[in-house]
Amino acid sequence: MGRITNYFNQLSKFFRSPDFSKAVILSIAISLPIAVFSYLGNYEIGVAIALGSLLSSPSDIQGSFNHKVMGVFLAALLAGLVSVILGYATVELWILLPVLAIMVFVISYFAVFGFRASLVAFSGLFAIVLSFANISTVLEIWERALLIVVGGLWYLSLSITWHFLNPKRATEQLLTETLELTALYLKTRSKLLTNVGTRENLKKELFKIQGELNEKHESLRDILIRSRLSFGNSNYARKRLLIFIELVDILELAIANPVDYKKMDELFGEDSDMPQKLSSLINSLALQLDDLATTLQKNANYTQNEIRDDLEKIEIGFKNFRESLDADDKRENMFLLQNLYDYLEKQAQKINTVVRILYNLDDKKRVFLKRKEVVKFITPQDYDPKILVENLNFESTIFRHSLRLAVVVLVGFSVGAYFSLENAYWILLTIIVIMRPNYGLTKERSKQRIIGTLIGGAIAIGIVFFIKNQIVYAILGLISLTLAFSLVQKNYKTAAVFITLSIVFIYSLLQPDIYNVIQYRIVDTLVGAGLATLGNLVLWPAWEVKGIKNVMLKSVQANKTYLEEIAAFYRNKRKLPVSYKLARKQAFLETGNLSTAFQRMTQEPKSKQKEISGIYEIVGINQTFLSALASLGTFIRNHKTTTASEDFEVLVQHTLQNLSNTENILSSLKIESQPDKEVSKEAGKALNRNFNELLLKSEEQEINGNEPDENLREQLREAHLVINQLNWLLELSEKLQTKIIKTRLY
């Protein structure tokens, strides 16, 4: 019963999603002109307008409204321009081939301007392919091109209308997805407590989830901050921004989770049920986020699950467990348990804050950010024409991809022409849809396309065999088209199934031999996927091992800046500066980028995965370093602290020196000097002496029958965490430097 309920919830969520709404709008934008102009006896006009809607739609993605409008508008203009050029170039083959190659290269090369520009470029490439689909005998080339632009503007008008009818839908969906991903991150973290044998796989899964969360956070920043700048500080925008801030803090707390899993295994032992209780509590926190996502999606009332009782049970369990420890074990382990409990309590408070903000239970919190400060949190896209010149070399991944795509498209066109394949433009369509700058993504996309096409072909054969009704084909074609559009970003394999179905049913209305259509659809897809995969393998391949060094460098630099900001804030506790928040954001982004680059590397051929075990260790060390930074920064921000000592400065400076040396190694520069390890040891010993003195005072108070005062407890916790994290950061910085040298990336 639970599975059935979950299935219907997922189905309901799908039909409420902006992706499905966009697909419905696109289906209307395509079908309505065809229906109207067919009725008026001008079928080809309707088809041209429908093509314009189809070609301009890829740029309609989540993000700033102004950027979306501009993207769709430029896509429509580009599609029209391409149609004119290709229409006149097809008169002679010797003209067509160079024009085709140049246009594919130039248009795909615009991807150097970022993701949205790459979608506009895709519209241009799509227009190139569809120029071969049906050369109109009724319309002039310029008329067809003009109607394609009109079709793009027609789709844009529908999209804008829907936006103003549902202005909050995209933001709510993105916020919902972020809540769900954050919940998944916490669930995966909870498994680390109990699934000892699969911890390495779980850590890899965390890398992947963190990369996805970084992307969601960037999109939310862009939408929420730009909406505040454009429309002011409305109550809705303020609340969503506050929730986003809390979600960022929840992720930071999770990454900063001060748990040494090996030490915890030794502490509790195999027979203890405490790890399972802790895992269940973290899972309960995650489920609260899931529930919030569901209620936000459905715009329903939220029934909060009370976890205070669970927290109290954990605290009682900790106290009982501490009393059972030997005196020698108490000192170290009581801090581990206390830090873990504090982490759980803070996460519960953060989630409770999200609930209170969302449902107007607490209206006291305000966000006051100056315009000059707030724009710094948006990652700007540079559209300087100089970028085109700077990337015009084989060091640029986009340059190589554009050149590779142009060659493969020419080969695909030649194969289709030589063998006189029916609807050979499907080969080109397959190539431009699945071919990506790196081999791993292209290979995965090819596999999904082939499997989806085969499944779609099999289903189509079954339906056509039993049903012989043109009206049914038309209805199924429209439904399949809508589902294909709505799934293409989320589940490409399933989208490929519905794309194939829609094409088969639409063609069945135009020609009687449907089985022939299915046959050529499958053949053309196999040829296109094979050429795309082979092209990425042999034509100027962009293997991740060659570029991952620069990704590592950016991550090290971001972590170094983050450490500098933490140390500066520790020295001078005041209002948290914007520079600290920006450094934290950048450190999280760059660490996520490194994890994503490693994931891409694992998809490449084994022969190209050079030094992969060493790179995996580097990624793990870098992630652990960020966790230690987040743990230190979170504690300093949320607790009253003492004045930073000289020994603190020594350990911080030595860690920064190690990171600077690592930067030089990755930049192929000489290492100027190494920190004096003896000085580091002395600083560490001095900090430990201070901690032991505080601990002695605490024990003396306990011996005298008094509970240690709160101020002493806070100083003890501060001394313990700062010592551990500084020593750990220093050790990790040394290990990172050594591992990079051994891995020979420099």
Side-chain angles (χ1 to χ4, degrees):
M1 188 67 184
R3 288 185 178 180
I4 295 174
T5 303
N6 183 59
Y7 173 77
F8 279 109
N9 286 337
Q10 290 298 319
L11 200 60
S12 173
K13 177 183 172 184
F14 169 71
F15 286 125
R16 290 170 178 269
S17 69
D19 288 326
F20 183 74
S21 300
K22 175 189 168 184
V24 171
I25 292 169
L26 182 54
S27 297
I28 293 171
I30 290 173
S31 59
L32 195 58
I34 294 176
V36 170
F37 283 96
S38 294
Y39 177 77
L40 295 174
N42 294 304
Y43 169 75
E44 293 206 9
I45 293 178
V47 170
I49 293 174
L51 277 177
S53 297
L54 178 63
L55 292 171
S56 60
S57 64
S59 295
D60 186 6
I61 58 169
Q62 290 178 336
S64 164
F65 174 72
N66 291 336
H67 287 178
K68 181 168 69 172
V69 171
M70 184 57 67
V72 175
F73 178 72
L74 291 176
L77 292 181
L78 181 61
L81 179 63
V82 166
S83 298
V84 168
I85 296 173
L86 260 294
Y88 288 112
T90 51
V91 292
E92 293 288 346
L93 186 63
W94 65 270
I95 296 176
L96 175 61
L97 290 178
V99 169
L100 177 61
I102 291 170
M103 288 189 70
V104 170
F105 173 81
V106 171
I107 291 173
S108 58
Y109 187 59
F110 281 115
V112 296
F113 290 122
F115 180 61
R116 195 176 290 275
S118 72
L119 294 176
V120 174
F122 177 76
S123 294
L125 295 173
F126 203 178
I128 290 174
V129 172
L130 293 184
S131 296
F132 298 105
N134 179 30
I135 305 300
S136 175
T137 55
V138 176
L139 297 172
E140 294 289 336
I141 292 172
W142 67 269
E143 290 176 328
R144 183 171 181 269
L146 187 60
L147 287 171
I148 285 174
V149 176
V150 170
L153 298 178
W154 156 243
Y155 171 78
L156 180 59
S157 66
L158 290 179
S159 181
I160 291 173
T161 302
W162 178 252
H163 172 80
F164 283 110
L165 289 174
N166 297 272
K168 301 174 183 178
R169 178 66 67 87
T171 304
E172 297 295 82
Q173 176 66 20
L174 196 53
L175 198 57
T176 297
E177 291 172 357
T178 307
L179 281 163
E180 290 172 340
L181 261 181
T182 307
L184 181 60
Y185 191 91
L186 293 181
K187 289 175 189 175
T188 309
R189 279 265 174 178
S190 73
K191 293 176 184 177
L192 285 168
L193 291 163
T194 54
N195 299 12
V196 179
T198 59
R199 275 179 182 160
E200 286 303 312
N201 291 331
L202 289 171
K203 287 178 181 177
K204 290 179 182 178
E205 184 65 21
L206 282 174
F207 292 162
K208 182 181 177 182
I209 297 170
Q210 188 180 337
E212 293 174 6
L213 269 172
N214 284 337
E215 292 176 6
K216 297 294 182 188
H217 286 175
E218 280 291 270
S219 298
L220 268 174
R221 276 191 193 95
D222 190 64
I223 290 176
L224 294 173
I225 292 177
R226 288 188 191 278
S227 66
R228 280 171 60 86
L229 294 176
S230 301
F231 305 111
N233 190 23
S234 69
N235 186 53
Y236 172 83
R238 180 182 65 82
K239 285 166 62 177
R240 267 46 185 180
L241 185 57
L242 283 170
I243 292 170
F244 169 66
I245 291 169
E246 295 301 325
L247 288 176
V248 171
D249 285 346
I250 287 171
L251 177 62
E252 184 187 30
L253 272 174
I255 289 176
N257 181 359
V259 176
D260 185 331
Y261 294 104
K262 290 182 180 179
K263 186 181 290 186
M264 196 187 65
D265 292 340
E266 296 171 2
L267 175 62
F268 289 125
E270 295 181 2
D271 299 328
S272 175
D273 63 346
M274 187 59 72
Q276 184 59 51
K277 287 181 179 179
L278 291 169
S279 179
S280 298
L281 178 56
I282 296 172
N283 210 47
S284 296
L285 295 171
L287 288 174
Q288 281 206 335
L289 290 174
D290 275 333
D291 289 343
L292 276 168
T294 302
T295 54
L296 189 65
Q297 182 81 20
K298 296 180 178 179
N299 195 26
N301 292 324
Y302 173 71
T303 304
Q304 186 175 6
N305 300 314
E306 185 57 61
I307 61 169
R308 172 54 53 189
D309 293 341
D310 294 331
L311 276 169
E312 289 176 355
K313 289 176 184 177
I314 293 293
E315 186 177 28
I316 292 169
F318 279 173
K319 286 180 179 178
N320 293 336
F321 188 79
R322 281 199 297 265
E323 290 172 2
S324 68
L325 293 172
D326 295 332
D328 293 336
D329 293 331
K330 272 190 177 181
R331 291 185 178 184
E332 183 68 23
N333 293 330
M334 69 178 184
F335 289 109
L336 186 151
L337 296 175
Q338 185 62 50
N339 288 337
L340 182 54
Y341 177 78
D342 285 350
Y343 159 71
L344 295 171
E345 190 174 40
K346 282 187 174 65
Q347 287 290 39
Q349 289 170 357
K350 289 289 179 185
I351 294 170
N352 186 54
T353 301
V354 172
V355 175
R356 297 183 71 81
I357 293 169
L358 193 58
Y359 294 100
N360 299 313
L361 301 176
D362 185 0
D363 200 39
K364 295 178 181 178
K365 197 167 183 179
R366 293 286 188 270
V367 179
F368 295 106
L369 290 173
K370 297 178 182 177
R371 183 184 178 90
K372 289 182 179 179
E373 293 179 350
V374 79
V375 294
K376 294 177 182 178
F377 288 91
I378 304 174
T379 304
Q381 179 60 56
D382 190 357
Y383 292 104
D384 192 326
K386 291 180 181 178
I387 295 174
L388 294 171
V389 179
E390 291 170 357
N391 281 273
L392 209 60
N393 57 74
F394 279 94
E395 294 297 316
S396 168
T397 301
I398 298 298
F399 174 80
R400 281 184 285 175
H401 170 65
S402 302
L403 198 58
R404 186 188 308 123
L405 185 61
V407 172
V408 175
V409 165
L410 275 183
V411 173
F413 178 83
S414 302
V415 168
Y418 182 79
F419 291 102
S420 301
L421 295 176
E422 189 174 335
N423 299 321
Y425 72 92
W426 282 343
I427 296 175
L428 305 187
L429 184 59
T430 301
I431 290 169
I432 68 160
V433 166
I434 67 177
M435 202 163 183
R436 292 292 181 269
N438 61 73
Y439 173 83
L441 291 177
T442 301
K443 178 184 173 183
E444 185 63 25
R445 196 88 161 173
S446 297
K447 191 190 303 181
Q448 293 172 347
R449 176 85 170 193
I450 290 170
I451 293 172
T453 300
L454 292 174
I455 294 173
I459 294 172
I461 289 172
I463 293 174
V464 169
F465 183 80
F466 289 105
I467 300 174
K468 309 290 184 181
N469 188 303
Q470 296 289 90
I471 296 176
V472 173
Y473 292 165
I475 294 171
L476 289 176
L478 187 60
I479 293 172
S480 299
L481 193 66
T482 303
L483 292 173
F485 291 147
S486 61
L487 290 166
V488 72
Q489 295 294 334
K490 300 291 184 182
N491 190 330
Y492 185 69
K493 187 192 296 181
T494 307
V497 173
F498 288 110
I499 289 169
T500 301
L501 287 171
S502 62
I503 288 173
V504 169
F505 292 133
I506 290 169
Y507 265 85
S508 70
L509 303 175
L510 305 175
Q511 49 185 281
D513 192 356
I514 304 176
Y515 295 108
N516 202 37
V517 172
I518 296 172
Q519 173 189 325
Y520 278 108
R521 169 71 181 173
I522 292 173
V523 170
D524 291 342
T525 296
L526 290 173
V527 172
L531 288 174
T533 305
L534 186 64
N536 268 83
L537 189 62
V538 300
L539 295 175
W540 312 287
W543 305 121
E544 285 297 329
V545 71
K546 294 182 179 179
I548 203 165
K549 183 174 73 170
N550 289 330
V551 185
M552 287 180 185
L553 176 61
K554 289 180 180 179
S555 187
V556 170
Q557 290 171 335
N559 282 340
K560 180 184 172 186
T561 304
Y562 188 20
L563 176 56
E564 288 171 341
E565 288 293 333
I566 291 170
F569 185 66
Y570 190 40
R571 294 184 200 106
N572 185 13
K573 293 288 287 285
R574 59 194 190 285
K575 181 183 177 183
L576 194 68
V578 172
S579 58
Y580 180 102
K581 298 175 184 177
L582 288 171
R584 178 182 63 177
K585 169 203 163 189
Q586 201 60 33
F588 276 56
L589 282 176
E590 296 301 343
T591 298
N593 290 340
L594 179 56
S595 299
T596 303
F598 175 76
Q599 293 295 329
R600 290 197 300 265
M601 188 178 181
T602 60
Q603 298 175 327
E604 295 177 345
K606 295 291 183 184
S607 60
K608 303 301 179 182
Q609 295 178 8
K610 296 178 181 178
E611 304 286 354
I612 190 165
S613 59
I615 291 172
Y616 174 64
E617 285 188 53
I618 291 169
V619 172
I621 293 169
N622 190 73
Q623 179 73 37
T624 307
F625 191 89
L626 178 62
S627 297
L629 282 177
S631 180
L632 182 62
T634 302
F635 183 87
I636 292 171
R637 283 168 47 211
N638 295 313
H639 293 82
K640 183 180 178 181
T641 55
T642 57
T643 306
S645 65
E646 291 183 8
D647 300 305
F648 168 86
E649 298 291 351
V650 168
L651 293 180
V652 167
Q653 291 305 316
H654 284 195
T655 303
L656 290 172
Q657 182 61 51
N658 283 331
L659 293 178
S660 295
N661 290 341
T662 303
E663 283 183 63
N664 289 339
I665 293 167
L666 290 169
S667 303
S668 302
L669 301 173
K670 287 185 177 181
I671 298 175
E672 296 180 2
S673 62
Q674 292 282 10
D676 190 329
K677 291 188 176 181
E678 289 301 318
V679 175
S680 299
K681 285 181 181 178
E682 288 302 318
K685 288 178 182 178
L687 288 172
N688 275 315
R689 281 196 298 271
N690 177 57
F691 170 70
N692 289 329
E693 288 172 4
L694 292 171
L695 192 60
L696 188 60
K697 288 181 182 178
S698 174
E699 289 174 349
E700 286 176 355
Q701 289 185 7
E702 288 181 351
I703 291 171
N704 294 330
N706 300 319
E707 283 287 325
D709 63 74
E710 189 61 32
N711 188 45
L712 181 58
R713 282 183 177 180
E714 283 297 318
Q715 288 183 34
L716 263 172
R717 289 186 59 202
E718 176 191 354
H720 179 264
L721 188 135
V722 170
I723 291 167
N724 281 351
Q725 296 305 326
L726 286 180
N727 285 330
W728 187 220
L729 286 168
L730 182 61
E731 183 183 338
L732 287 169
S733 66
E734 292 170 352
K735 193 183 292 185
L736 182 65
Q737 184 182 154
T738 303
K739 195 63 195 177
I740 287 175
I741 293 172
K742 287 183 179 179
T743 310
R744 299 178 181 177
L745 291 169
Y746 53 97

